[in-house]
Amino acid sequence: FELSKVFKKQENKELPLEKNKLGIALTGRASKKRWDRPERNVDFYDLKGFLEFLTGMYYPGNELKITEAQYGFFHPRINGKIDIGGKTMGIIGKVHPLIVEEAEIDQDIYYMEIDMDDFINNMAEIIKYKAIPVFPSIDIDLAIVVDEKVKNEEIMSEIKKSGTELLKQVRLFDIYRGEQIDRDKKSMAYSLSFRDDSRTLKDTEIEIIKKRILENLGRNLNAAIRE
């Protein structure tokens, strides 16, 4: 994405019209492979989802409408102008296949542009922000064997309780049942992401937390690490 100024020539005027624009482009993978869904590429509805999020955040209660329009750089059937609360604020669509081919890109590209001057001046409320984290995260994978009756929600809850405030994200990415484990058991594999917003974490810190998580999983859910 990019937020920058766009200059448009004005008739009978020496200076161009200066507008602040937000441009967002999507291409490639939309999500990683998980136990309950395959990988997939982004599509028009992923980009529309960003637009719906922005509208819901800054224009609660206002109608979002995408009206079909014709732009030469968009796919003739997948494009439109963006209306929020009855006011046109941008465009959205799939980049024309001939443009993608000319650029020697072998995957679809979706693009949205919003007039930020109009968007900001008509916002319903002011939103507070916090800075994007500047310190790197440490990611680890954790595979455990539990009784078949143990639910994912129980495991996630136990991991979060034991992971301290440094644990920022937990994601289940694999479930295995098979010959390598007992019939009444299942293997659950999780990806854990740790980060401190004020400093760089040390591997030894994460090892201590990981040990605590495994001990509590074993004590409370009869879980064992899968070797």
Side-chain angles (χ1 to χ4, degrees):
F1 71 93
E2 182 176 356
L3 181 62
S4 61
K5 295 184 182 299
V6 173
F7 301 92
K8 184 177 181 180
K9 185 177 180 180
Q10 301 184 85
E11 292 187 11
N12 303 320
K13 291 187 178 181
E14 182 179 353
L15 296 177
L17 178 65
E18 185 177 321
K19 302 285 287 185
N20 290 292
K21 299 276 189 174
L22 170 66
I24 299 176
L26 291 183
T27 189
R29 296 291 187 188
S31 61
K32 296 180 180 180
K33 182 180 180 180
R34 288 185 15 169
W35 70 274
D36 59 347
R37 69 173 182 229
E39 287 185 337
R40 70 173 182 85
N41 292 328
V42 296
D43 58 26
F44 176 78
Y45 296 100
D46 290 303
L47 188 57
K48 185 171 179 283
F50 281 121
L51 178 59
E52 290 171 344
F53 173 80
L54 290 173
T55 303
M57 179 74 72
Y58 298 104
Y59 285 83
N62 286 268
E63 181 185 14
L64 167 64
K65 189 176 182 181
I66 298 176
T67 305
E68 186 174 344
Q70 292 299 320
Y71 301 101
F73 46 85
F74 278 152
H75 188 290
R77 298 185 61 185
I78 309 176
N79 71 88
K81 63 184 182 71
I82 299 168
D83 292 326
I84 303 175
K87 186 175 182 63
T88 299
M89 294 194 185
I91 58 174
I92 186 171
K94 178 180 178 180
V95 177
H96 199 291
L98 292 179
I99 296 177
V100 175
E101 182 180 350
E102 182 67 23
E104 298 183 350
I105 299 173
D106 60 357
Q107 56 196 34
D108 295 334
I109 302 173
Y110 300 87
Y111 179 72
M112 174 173 67
E113 189 174 286
I114 297 177
D115 185 324
M116 291 305 292
D117 293 323
D118 287 341
F119 190 88
I120 292 172
N121 290 336
N122 291 281
M123 283 196 311
E125 58 183 34
I126 301 300
I127 304 298
K128 294 183 179 180
Y129 296 90
K130 63 179 180 179
I132 296 174
V134 296
F135 295 97
S137 62
I138 294 180
D139 301 324
I140 65 171
D141 290 341
L142 199 66
I144 58 173
V145 177
V146 295
D147 294 336
E148 186 65 54
K149 64 181 181 180
V150 176
K151 298 179 180 179
N152 172 55
E153 291 78 9
E154 296 176 280
I155 300 172
M156 295 272 281
S157 176
E158 195 62 50
I159 291 175
K160 290 176 180 178
K161 285 191 296 184
S162 305
T164 76
E165 71 280 356
L166 298 179
L167 178 61
K168 303 302 182 183
Q169 186 179 52
V170 183
R171 177 174 62 89
L172 173 66
F173 69 87
D174 185 59
I175 298 179
Y176 172 78
R177 299 175 177 89
E179 296 179 356
Q180 299 180 25
I181 56 177
D182 295 338
R183 181 175 297 181
D184 59 346
K185 302 280 188 178
K186 60 184 175 182
S187 171
M188 310 278 282
Y190 295 85
S191 174
L192 281 63
S193 181
F194 298 88
R195 190 185 70 249
D196 190 314
D197 294 335
S198 63
R199 62 186 177 87
T200 299
L201 292 175
K202 297 179 180 179
D203 291 337
T204 51
E205 294 179 86
I206 306 307
E207 283 299 319
I208 293 172
I209 296 174
K210 177 182 176 181
K211 182 179 179 181
R212 182 189 303 124
I213 290 173
L214 290 172
E215 288 176 350
N216 290 336
L217 285 172
R219 181 183 306 109
N220 299 321
L221 298 177
N222 193 32
I225 188 169
R226 183 182 177 191
E227 302 295 343

